[in-house]
Amino acid sequence: MLRLGYDTDMRLLWISSVLLLAACNLQADKGGIYNPDEEFAKLEGPDVATFQESLERNAFEALSAGEAGRAAGLYQQLADKDPNEARYWLGLAESMRRDRAYAESVPVYDKVIEMHPGHLDAYEGKALALMADGKTQEAGKIFERIVQRDPKRWRTLNALGILFAIKNMPTESVRYLQEAVKYYPDNPSVINNLGLVYASQRQYDSAVQLLQEAAGKADPGQVEQIELNLALVYGIMGNMAQAERIAERHLPAGSLENNMGFYAHLANDQELAKSYLNMALSGSPIYYERAWKNLEIIAREEKTAGPSEPGKRIKIQ
């Protein structure tokens, strides 16, 4: 399943520099006695500004490489050294959110907002954190205010599309996701999400086309999750052969058999299928937890009632 992959443009200007430390020979004064204060004054310590630039560059590169935990540690160091610099706190908040510390990142975003009340990046990051933490109503209100000020922010448009899909408002969902694609046409996450919304409305041909397009534009780290979403859609369609061909690229034998059995349940239960498409769309751990509960329900029913019959309904958590 695909998590929202939502990158922020930190707009950082990097300056190439070399950290220098010059040393002088200790010399005695005229009286033959060393004066420590005078001697240490001759020593050039590390250039503090240059050190922070290097540390900030390392933090930015770690976040870009997906090392969110490491990036958070580096941004924390920067924020401790210069607590009045908002971009350090924003980098820390973004790193925490991407490291799935959703609730913990919110007060850090609030700190940035307190320093710069009109900071849209901070508001957007906060809303994404709230949304991932399951607080969709609060997140939705923030997203709506953001899009009123800047209707071209693709992350906000994408998030609103997901929220409307979860609320079973597909027309609105598609409209916002199509807007996001218009402003960021090569973003595989947005295209994937649009495909999942079409699948939830049983527009399977459009869904397959979009998911294939998303997989073609994705980087290696995204391809697996997008293709598993594609296999999920083929399974819901009842095309088990194609679902298996795609899923077996990424799953070991045991997991593949489990998935194929589950696809069969989805094909016979559109309510359950739609629920799982929404879970794939949200990418939130909250929904993953519900997914596992549903799997447990299926396992229990199989033990008591045998194989599922066409059209059999399974109660969704």
Side-chain angles (χ1 to χ4, degrees):
M1 298 180 182
L2 189 64
R3 291 193 291 272
L4 292 173
Y6 329 94
D7 293 334
T8 184
D9 179 7
M10 302 296 293
R11 300 178 178 87
L12 301 175
L13 299 177
W14 303 113
I15 303 175
S16 300
S17 56
V18 178
L19 187 62
L20 299 176
L21 179 63
C24 302
N25 292 326
L26 291 175
Q27 299 290 335
D29 63 15
K30 293 180 180 180
I33 300 174
Y34 291 108
N35 184 324
D37 291 336
E38 289 183 5
E39 296 302 333
F40 280 119
K42 298 175 185 177
L43 295 174
E44 292 184 12
D47 185 333
V48 175
T50 302
F51 175 76
Q52 288 189 200
E53 289 159 6
S54 178
L55 192 63
E56 186 177 10
R57 183 172 59 251
N58 290 338
F60 181 82
E61 290 173 353
L63 188 58
S64 299
E67 301 173 7
R70 178 169 171 266
L74 295 172
Y75 276 118
Q76 184 68 68
Q77 291 182 52
L78 286 163
D80 290 341
K81 290 178 181 295
D82 189 356
N84 295 319
E85 182 54 71
R87 75 174 184 272
Y88 297 158
W89 292 109
L90 182 60
L92 175 59
E94 286 288 299
S95 302
M96 293 172 70
R97 179 178 65 81
R98 296 192 197 183
D99 201 33
R100 299 188 180 183
Y102 303 122
E104 295 83 353
S105 71
V106 170
V108 185
Y109 282 117
D110 283 336
K111 188 175 185 67
V112 179
I113 293 168
E114 183 180 350
M115 297 169 75
H116 296 280
H119 206 305
L120 287 186
D121 284 343
Y123 276 111
E124 190 174 59
K126 177 182 178 179
L128 290 170
L130 289 168
M131 178 176 167
D133 201 29
K135 299 176 180 177
T136 56
Q137 186 172 0
E138 187 177 352
K141 290 178 180 178
I142 298 175
F143 284 132
E144 288 175 3
R145 291 198 296 269
I146 292 172
V147 82
Q148 287 173 2
R149 290 182 55 188
D150 184 356
K152 298 182 180 181
R153 293 183 75 90
W154 75 266
R155 291 202 311 175
T156 291
L157 293 168
N158 178 63
L160 284 168
I162 293 170
L163 289 176
F164 278 116
I166 294 171
K167 292 180 180 179
N168 197 29
M169 300 172 69
T171 302
E172 292 81 357
S173 174
V174 168
R175 179 166 64 88
Y176 278 107
L177 289 171
Q178 286 178 337
E179 280 291 295
V181 170
K182 182 170 73 175
Y183 296 120
Y184 202 160
D186 292 325
N187 188 297
S189 296
V190 181
I191 298 169
N192 168 86
N193 293 342
L194 185 57
L196 289 172
V197 173
Y198 278 127
S200 71
Q201 299 306 302
R202 306 188 191 185
Q203 299 181 42
Y204 297 125
D205 290 341
S206 296
V208 166
Q209 182 179 349
L210 285 164
L211 289 168
Q212 289 174 337
E213 180 184 351
K217 294 182 176 182
D219 61 43
Q222 294 175 302
V223 170
E224 176 179 341
Q225 294 179 12
I226 293 174
E227 288 199 339
L228 287 176
N229 285 339
L230 179 58
L232 172 67
V233 172
Y234 273 123
I236 293 170
M237 294 169 63
N239 189 341
M240 297 301 167
Q242 186 64 13
E244 184 172 7
R245 277 194 291 270
I246 295 170
E248 68 183 358
R249 301 172 191 166
H250 309 290
L251 299 175
S255 297
L256 179 62
E257 291 174 1
N258 180 67
N259 274 38
M260 295 309 299
F262 184 54
Y263 293 159
H265 279 284
L266 295 178
N268 293 325
D269 192 329
Q270 288 299 319
E271 181 186 349
L272 184 62
K274 187 171 182 178
S275 175
Y276 269 79
L277 288 166
N278 283 344
M279 292 174 195
L281 187 62
S282 73
S284 168
I286 298 293
Y287 293 94
Y288 285 126
E289 183 179 351
R290 293 179 185 173
W292 283 111
K293 288 181 179 178
N294 287 337
L295 285 172
E296 290 171 0
I297 291 171
I298 291 170
R300 287 198 300 269
E301 292 200 1
E302 281 184 335
K303 288 180 180 178
T304 58
S308 62
E309 299 175 359
K312 181 179 177 181
R313 295 288 178 181
I314 298 174
K315 184 177 180 181
I316 306 300
Q317 295 293 310

